[in-house]
Amino acid sequence: MDFRFGPEDDAFRDEARAWLDAHLVGEYAAAARDGRPGSEHERTPTRRSWERELGAAGWIGLGWDRRHGDYGNRTATLTQQVVWAEEYARSAAPGRVGHIGEKLLAPTLIAHGDDGQRNRFLPAIARGEELWCQGYSEPDAGSDLAALRTAAVRDPADGTYRVTGQKIWTSLAHDAHWCFVLARTEPGSQRHHGLSFLLVPMDQPGRIEVRPIRQMSGTAEFNEVFFDGAVARPEHLVGGPGNGWRVAMGLLATERGVSTLVQQIGFAEELAQIVQLALKTGATKDPVLRDRLVRQWAELRTMRWNALRTLGSGADPGAPSVAKLLWGGWHQRLGELAMQVRGAAATLGPTDWSADRPYELDALQRLFLFSRADTIYGGSDQIQRNIIAERVLGLPKEAR
């Protein structure tokens, strides 16, 4: 495969860079400077305004399939999507709060929704006006998603669904306007049978409660969401009743791809920061630490070439799982390496303890704590290995 960019890609890069330079000013630049692992929940009004700024210029949904219509945004080739992602990451623009709608729901509606659903939701996502969250994981159904118990009962009078249950680890639920929920709509069904994919408005006082989960990093971008008879209209059922598992799996397949390359740009910046710290403190004199720094750099380059190799390849069922295994373990090891480079100083915070601010962390400490979850969220390492074993290698399924 030829990994080089052509003249059209270079022109697109110039356009993207010029736009970001012109618009990434003032409050947007301040929000960008706050970027760090787990900070997506901070400066929310600014980030929401930034989504609308992106949407007004057509930068949201560059890779959407246009076979069903035009949603008012720009079109871009696959390589141009990579260019935009690279320039966005390099500009240190604010962390996105609309990526769940843009990267997960929109491709799912294009593939599995109907015209009414696409026309209702995609333009609002493209304009940056409606934010989404993902209602999949539950306290007893995280990586084993088929064990979920949230139920949706259909009212025979008007066809609406009443959703009752609990979701957990729901990113940005406290800011979202809508949630796509995987729920059990066939009583007595088990595992992946009898599930449906519902679009549920979050503004339902008394029927939906969102509780932020404060983590050891001090941030709270994840939430518990409690549904108590929350209403989903019949026209907001995606893919038909009982077909939720097929829709949900199609959505999960879109989580990898161009976003992996964007992620790696952020990883490279974190690694560069750690290398500079190692040079400053003299940690590079330790041959073991020096070897680990080189290994992290080499593995990151390998991940980039692997991501480019599999970009746009929907025929490889193991590619998403391999990518998740690679970057999850790599980033977690990077957090550990950051603390090793710091040495004993890693136990100290950036400011002295005080009664009103007893818990302060610097960027590398946040990186270490946040990265502990990298091998769990988005499908644990164990689940990814099961997927590769069963769907790629053809090994017997795990006994349940």
Side-chain angles (χ1 to χ4, degrees), residues 117-144:
Q117 293 164 351
R118 287 187 283 266
N119 293 334
R120 163 60 185 86
F121 294 110
L122 296 190
I125 295 173
R127 293 191 299 267
E129 294 176 353
E130 289 186 344
L131 305 181
W132 287 79
C133 60
Q134 178 178 8
Y136 274 19
S137 295
E138 299 183 4
D140 295 317
S143 293
D144 184 14

Side-chain angles (χ1 to χ4, degrees), residues 247-385:
V247 177
M249 292 302 99
L251 182 145
L252 289 176
T254 70
E255 285 193 277
R256 325 291 187 225
V258 173
S259 60
T260 302
L261 291 166
V262 184
Q263 185 183 52
Q264 290 171 12
I265 295 173
F267 288 171
E269 293 174 351
E270 291 173 343
L271 176 58
Q273 182 182 357
I274 294 169
V275 170
Q276 289 299 317
L277 179 63
L279 291 169
K280 180 180 179 180
T281 62
T284 51
K285 295 178 183 178
D286 183 333
V288 175
L289 282 180
R290 195 164 60 243
D291 178 75
R292 287 201 61 187
L293 288 168
V294 173
R295 183 179 294 273
Q296 289 287 141
W297 177 87
E299 290 176 349
L300 183 59
R301 297 298 296 177
T302 302
M303 284 195 294
R304 173 174 172 77
W305 295 123
N306 182 66
L308 287 168
R309 179 183 65 84
T310 59
L311 193 63
S313 173
D316 185 351
S321 294
V322 169
K324 176 60 171 61
L325 282 171
L326 288 174
W327 73 254
W330 184 93
H331 200 228
Q332 194 171 87
R333 292 192 298 276
L334 184 70
E336 295 167 354
L337 180 57
M339 296 299 98
Q340 289 183 324
V341 167
R342 290 278 299 275
T347 61
L348 301 176
T351 60
D352 291 337
W353 181 93
S354 64
D356 58 331
R357 298 186 68 85
Y359 195 73
E360 283 290 307
L361 299 172
D362 62 29
L364 292 182
Q365 289 168 328
R366 285 178 179 269
L367 166 64
F368 170 70
L369 293 177
F370 189 84
S371 65
R372 305 316 298 167
D374 282 333
T375 55
I376 301 173
Y377 71 80
S380 70
D381 279 8
Q382 291 83 358
I383 292 296
Q384 303 305 331
R385 291 190 175 97

Side-chain angles (χ1 to χ4, degrees), residues 63-325:
W64 292 355
D65 188 331
R66 299 304 201 277
R67 284 179 297 176
H68 300 290
D70 184 352
Y71 306 108
N73 48 359
R74 300 170 185 244
T75 60
T77 65
L78 191 58
T79 52
Q80 288 170 347
Q81 293 170 49
V82 174
V83 166
W84 165 252
E86 289 180 340
E87 291 304 314
Y88 191 92
R90 289 191 177 115
S91 72
R96 297 287 307 281
V97 292
H99 60 282
I100 295 176
E102 178 191 8
K103 303 295 186 182
L104 299 184
L105 180 68
T108 302
L109 291 183
I110 291 171
H112 301 282
D114 56 36
D115 286 340
Q117 293 164 351
R118 287 187 283 266
N119 293 334
R120 163 60 185 86
F121 294 110
L122 296 190
I125 295 173
R127 293 191 299 267
E129 294 176 353
E130 289 186 344
L131 305 181
W132 287 79
C133 60
Q134 178 178 8
Y136 274 19
S137 295
E138 299 183 4
D140 295 317
S143 293
D144 184 14
L145 185 59
L148 67 83
R149 293 186 295 179
T150 293
V153 178
R154 187 175 183 274
D155 187 335
D158 59 8
T160 60
Y161 288 88
R162 298 284 181 165
V163 182
T164 301
Q166 178 187 359
K167 298 293 182 178
I168 199 168
W169 310 122
T170 310
S171 300
L172 304 174
H174 51 297
D175 295 320
H177 302 97
W178 289 81
C179 180
F180 49 89
V181 178
L182 193 60
R184 198 165 295 282
T185 52
E186 295 181 14
S189 61
Q190 295 183 350
R191 303 301 298 168
H192 57 275
H193 302 288
L195 302 174
S196 295
F197 191 98
L198 297 164
L199 310 180
V200 181
M202 292 294 286
D203 186 15
Q204 298 192 49
R207 292 175 176 167
I208 298 180
E209 180 185 359
V210 178
R211 300 179 189 171
I213 301 173
R214 189 167 180 83
Q215 300 162 99
M216 63 180 179
S217 62
T219 61
E221 71 276 10
F222 299 120
N223 304 271
E224 293 179 283
V225 183
F226 297 86
F227 298 93
D228 186 8
V231 176
R233 296 168 60 177
E235 62 267 31
H236 296 161
L237 170 68
V238 180
N243 292 324
W245 188 255
R246 178 175 61 88
V247 177
M249 292 302 99
L251 182 145
L252 289 176
T254 70
E255 285 193 277
R256 325 291 187 225
V258 173
S259 60
T260 302
L261 291 166
V262 184
Q263 185 183 52
Q264 290 171 12
I265 295 173
F267 288 171
E269 293 174 351
E270 291 173 343
L271 176 58
Q273 182 182 357
I274 294 169
V275 170
Q276 289 299 317
L277 179 63
L279 291 169
K280 180 180 179 180
T281 62
T284 51
K285 295 178 183 178
D286 183 333
V288 175
L289 282 180
R290 195 164 60 243
D291 178 75
R292 287 201 61 187
L293 288 168
V294 173
R295 183 179 294 273
Q296 289 287 141
W297 177 87
E299 290 176 349
L300 183 59
R301 297 298 296 177
T302 302
M303 284 195 294
R304 173 174 172 77
W305 295 123
N306 182 66
L308 287 168
R309 179 183 65 84
T310 59
L311 193 63
S313 173
D316 185 351
S321 294
V322 169
K324 176 60 171 61
L325 282 171

